[in-house]
Amino acid sequence: MSVKIRKPVPSDIDIAQSAGLQPIVRVAEALGLGEGDLDLYGRHKAKVHLDVLDRLKDAPLGRYVDVAAITPTPLGEGKTTTTVGLCQALGAHLGKKVVTVVRQPSMGPTFGVKGGAAGGGYSQIVPMEDFNLHLTGDIHAVTVAHDLLAAAIDARILHELYQEDEKLFKGFCPADKAGKRCLSPTVRRRLRKLGIDKADPEELTLEDKRRIFRLDIDPDTITWNRVIDVNDRFLRRVWIGLGPEELGLKRETGFDISVASEIMAILALTTGLEDMRERLGRIVVGMNKSGEPVTAEDLGVAGALTVLMKDALMPNLMQTLENTPALVHAGPFANIAHGNSSVLADQIALRLVGPDGYVVTESGFGAECGMEKFMNIKCRASGLRPNCVVIVATVRALKMHGGGPKVVAGRALPDEYTKENLGLLAQGLPNLAAHVRNALKYGVPAVVAVNRFSADTEAEIAMVRKAALEAGAEDAVMSDHWAEGGAGAVALAEAVIAACEKPVDFRFLYPLEWDIKRKIETIAAEMYGAAGVDYAPAAEAKIALYAKLGYDRFPVCMAKTHLSLSHNPAWKGVPTGFRLPVRDVKASVGAGFLYPLCGDMRTMPGLPTRPAFYDVDIDPKTGRVVGLF
């Protein structure tokens, strides 16, 4: 191990900064990658070229493991920590070829309530400062691309307001020095979409010019906000266009956090540069005044978006504390988007480890959220099929589901969580059983990892194990990877290896051919336990519109709270008899999914009274970051 185990366990950043890191080229060599396969970002991180995937396209795949969790407390239950600890056990202690594949975290939560997401204790991805902050700039690329599209929308409305059709044509097809006009590649794409078979601009009639260049966007239908990678509640709703040069075109809009951008979801689901170019072009930003969708391609900006995103398309290679390799790539929101790392990183990793190796990835939030989307959205996009699901559980969270006191970030835990309480734990165990049963519905073996906290007793852990086995898990294992690193997760790794030997009868929860409502209602009943679904008028109207536009063949990406199996974060355990309210349905056409909104979903978090940034600083003598966790 590259870091010495100490007791009591120091802070995450102290552990990370005391680690002996391998040069990233050496980590790459262990995977069969040469320096020519990498773009280096210093000594300890690099981007992996996508042509590696082409070179290994016929290579056999490794074992594919998804790490999910029970319904968490607001503190989280250590899913990333478990993912990293499991990989350290597989690689550094059991000699397996392994790659950890996780999302890149937003800096909003890093400086807000949650803190960083590199894992914790002796199971971390390092350098943890780089992981939690800028890394190689992928989130910045998403931010700039997203906001370029936002700027293009309002600029187009402005210029169409005061220019006649012929002037618009001349502006978009300027004459060269010889007086000749030509059509740009994006305009030629629009001609094909409109069915106009003319290659020479001089052949275009005035009606052609109007159809091609006057998008006639209805401002009231625009769905494309701005984004920023900061928790800033005061940007949730803003007015724009207040300056004198905007000709009175003011409108209300807002900001989302960058990882909620559809461009981030596209980055996570795309299979390559050509596919990303097409997906970016399909992004729908609103409707025109005739009720037709307006896309990024119509605005002529899709090519530029692709250029901004081309480097972000390459996964980032890092390492764990025990020097096993990790690919960090993409970071889509787990509420609004599908909450999983990239398809490309998984495809590359599975070929690099080979048939005897393991790729361990994780899904955001509880299994009814991230795992469901992993199965029904990510696996459809990638064509990959998991060999095993790991469900992370904690005694703390199960006591909460049994009726324990409210758990609040930044406050000390009540005694119910720090002392043995078998009665409270027993009442919360149905939540674990529900998540195990949900995993088994996909035909994939499940293993329960009990992420041990220092206050957990042997009797409590034994009770959790018994309940997991009764629910159908292949095994249930206490894992002490936070305090012991990979050595504390060896039993979990052995259970995962055994589960991956079991036959898999993978199946999706629903076929894409089903109508939108049937997909929604199947997820609500099978994953959440809802008795039915109620649709608000806005949702009914959107469902009818999307069916008309041909979007009804998309998978469904449910947007709901992660703090309950239901839509209500206050309902713990396993709620029954409730009806799921769907207040609206939105479309991420480029990403390729519809997302029903169940309850009040926030896409821009706010800062607490005492944010995590309060402790973050730098030692000016050494340049080392302090206070990050």
Side-chain angles (χ1 to χ4, degrees):
M1 188 172 183
S2 66
V3 61
K4 184 179 179 181
I5 299 285
R6 289 186 285 161
K7 299 293 175 71
V9 177
S11 69
D12 290 350
I13 195 165
D14 285 344
I15 294 171
Q17 291 179 342
S18 66
L21 302 188
Q22 295 276 9
I24 201 66
V25 291
R26 191 175 301 172
V27 176
E29 286 170 3
L31 281 175
L33 296 173
E35 195 165 340
D37 295 318
L38 309 174
D39 282 350
L40 298 176
Y41 283 72
R43 297 185 69 243
H44 298 124
K45 56 185 185 288
K47 280 193 166 292
V48 179
H49 295 173
L50 295 189
D51 57 12
V52 169
L53 194 55
D54 296 329
R55 189 178 78 229
L56 300 174
K57 66 180 185 299
D58 297 324
L61 305 182
R63 306 301 178 93
Y64 194 27
V65 180
D66 180 48
V67 179
I70 63 171
T71 306
T73 69
L75 307 179
E77 306 318 306
K79 194 159 63 285
T80 305
T81 307
T82 302
T83 300
V84 175
L86 170 59
C87 289
Q88 290 179 160
L90 286 166
H93 296 268
L94 297 179
K96 303 294 184 181
K97 205 168 185 180
V98 64
V99 176
T100 311
V101 184
V102 293
R103 290 179 292 168
Q104 179 185 354
S106 165
M107 284 188 286
T110 295
F111 290 124
V113 176
K114 188 178 179 182
Y122 288 100
S123 294
Q124 297 186 55
I125 293 173
V126 284
M128 71 93 84
E129 304 97 307
D130 295 9
F131 179 96
N132 284 313
L133 302 178
H134 304 282
L135 196 54
T136 58
D138 294 351
I139 294 180
H140 299 309
V142 169
T143 302
V144 173
H146 183 110
D147 290 341
L148 177 63
L149 177 51
I153 296 167
D154 291 296
R156 188 60 169 263
I157 293 172
L158 174 72
H159 292 301
E160 287 187 18
L161 178 66
Y162 67 87
Q163 297 185 63
E164 299 297 330
D165 295 338
E166 185 65 25
K167 189 174 181 181
L168 278 175
F169 161 68
K170 291 178 179 178
F172 283 111
C173 292
D176 61 18
K177 292 180 180 179
K180 183 175 177 57
R181 301 182 189 275
C182 64
L183 301 174
S184 66
T186 190
V187 173
R188 289 197 292 271
R189 285 173 179 256
R190 180 153 171 79
L191 261 66
R192 290 195 293 271
K193 174 182 176 178
L194 296 174
I196 299 175
D197 187 19
K198 297 176 182 178
D200 186 348
E202 301 302 330
E203 296 178 2
L204 297 176
T205 66
L206 188 60
E207 174 63 16
D208 290 335
K209 294 171 184 176
R210 187 197 65 77
R211 291 180 64 206
I212 296 166
F213 299 111
R214 186 167 297 281
L215 299 183
D216 210 17
I217 299 168
D218 181 351
D220 292 336
T221 69
I222 295 171
T223 57
W224 198 258
N225 285 352
R226 269 76 174 169
V227 297
I228 188 171
D229 197 35
V230 173
N231 286 5
D232 192 343
R233 69 178 74 242
F234 287 93
L235 290 178
R236 287 172 182 163
R237 303 307 305 167
V238 299
W239 283 91
I240 61 171
L242 302 181
E245 296 181 357
E246 279 69 65
L247 307 181
L249 290 175
K250 71 175 184 177
R251 67 180 180 90
E252 188 180 10
T253 182
F255 277 76
D256 301 323
I257 199 159
S258 296
V259 292
S261 169
E262 183 179 348
I263 294 177
M264 179 61 86
I266 288 171
L267 176 64
L269 289 170
T270 190
T271 55
L273 186 61
E274 183 177 357
D275 177 63
M276 184 172 71
R277 173 65 179 81
E278 295 302 317
R279 286 177 179 268
L280 291 170
R282 291 197 298 266
I283 291 172
V284 172
V285 300
M287 310 294 282
N288 66 19
K289 292 176 181 176
S290 299
E292 301 165 328
V294 178
T295 67
E297 197 70 71
D298 294 331
L299 285 158
V301 71
L305 302 184
T306 310
V307 170
L308 287 170
M309 291 296 297
K310 68 180 180 63
D311 289 341
L313 197 57
M314 295 183 286
N316 304 290
L317 181 63
M318 299 184 76
Q319 63 191 290
T320 70
L321 284 171
E322 301 188 34
N323 307 128
T324 60
L327 287 176
V328 181
H329 200 212
F333 237 34
N335 279 352
I336 300 300
H338 67 291
N340 285 267
S341 56
S342 79
V343 164
L344 283 169
D346 287 357
Q347 289 178 331
I348 290 171
L350 284 164
R351 286 164 174 81
L352 287 172
V353 300
D356 298 323
Y358 294 81
V359 170
V360 183
T361 189
E362 67 164 303
S363 299
F365 296 140
E368 94 288 357
C369 285
M371 183 200 70
E372 183 270 312
K373 297 170 184 179
F374 170 85
M375 300 292 186
N376 290 309
I377 298 175
K378 185 177 181 181
C379 287
R380 288 188 202 270
S382 68
L384 302 172
R385 303 292 180 259
N387 297 94
C388 172
V389 170
V390 175
I391 306 289
V392 179
T394 63
V395 170
R396 175 184 69 189
L398 291 169
K399 287 180 178 178
M400 179 195 70
H401 288 294
K406 190 174 183 179
V407 175
V408 180
R411 296 185 191 171
L413 287 171
D415 287 347
E416 287 86 345
Y417 300 110
T418 59
K419 297 179 181 178
E420 183 174 279
N421 191 325
L422 297 179
L424 196 61
L425 175 60
Q427 293 178 67
L429 288 171
N431 185 270
L432 170 61
H435 285 291
V436 172
R437 290 193 297 268
N438 280 353
L440 298 180
K441 288 175 182 177
Y442 297 96
V444 180
V447 171
V448 170
V450 185
N451 182 21
R452 184 165 200 168
F453 288 12
S454 58
D456 298 346
T457 68
E458 294 300 325
E460 288 173 331
I461 292 169
M463 180 178 279
V464 176
R465 172 177 166 77
K466 182 175 182 292
L469 295 175
E470 289 174 350
E474 294 293 327
D475 206 346
V477 181
M478 185 279 291
S479 191
D480 203 10
H481 44 274
W482 179 80
E484 303 290 344
V490 168
L492 174 61
E494 290 171 340
V496 167
I497 291 170
C500 286
E501 296 300 321
K502 300 284 184 177
V504 173
D505 182 23
F506 182 84
R507 51 191 175 271
F508 295 116
L509 194 62
Y510 56 82
L512 295 181
E513 292 73 26
W514 283 3
D515 64 51
I516 297 170
K517 282 189 174 181
R518 189 175 179 187
K519 293 171 192 170
I520 293 172
E521 289 158 11
T522 297
I523 295 171
E526 295 293 328
M527 294 288 103
Y528 313 155
V533 178
D534 296 325
Y535 301 91
E540 293 277 11
K542 290 286 186 65
I543 288 170
L545 174 64
Y546 296 153
K548 178 183 175 182
L549 294 173
Y551 302 160
D552 53 340
R553 293 297 180 261
F554 286 156
V556 168
C557 185
M558 302 291 278
K560 77 166 192 72
T561 180
H562 62 289
L563 296 174
S564 172
L565 277 168
S566 73
H567 61 284
N568 188 332
W571 295 349
K572 305 303 181 183
V574 183
T576 58
F578 67 93
R579 296 184 65 81
L580 184 75
V582 175
R583 64 178 177 86
D584 200 356
V585 182
K586 297 190 176 182
S588 289
V589 180
F593 55 70
L594 304 178
Y595 58 101
L597 299 175
C598 310
D600 185 18
M601 299 306 303
R602 288 261 170 83
T603 54
M604 170 59 82
L607 291 171
T609 303
R610 190 184 192 281
F613 68 65
Y614 216 74
D615 294 312
V616 177
D617 212 322
I618 196 162
D619 183 336
K621 294 182 179 179
T622 65
R624 299 184 84 183
V625 175
V626 298
L628 193 66
F629 70 97

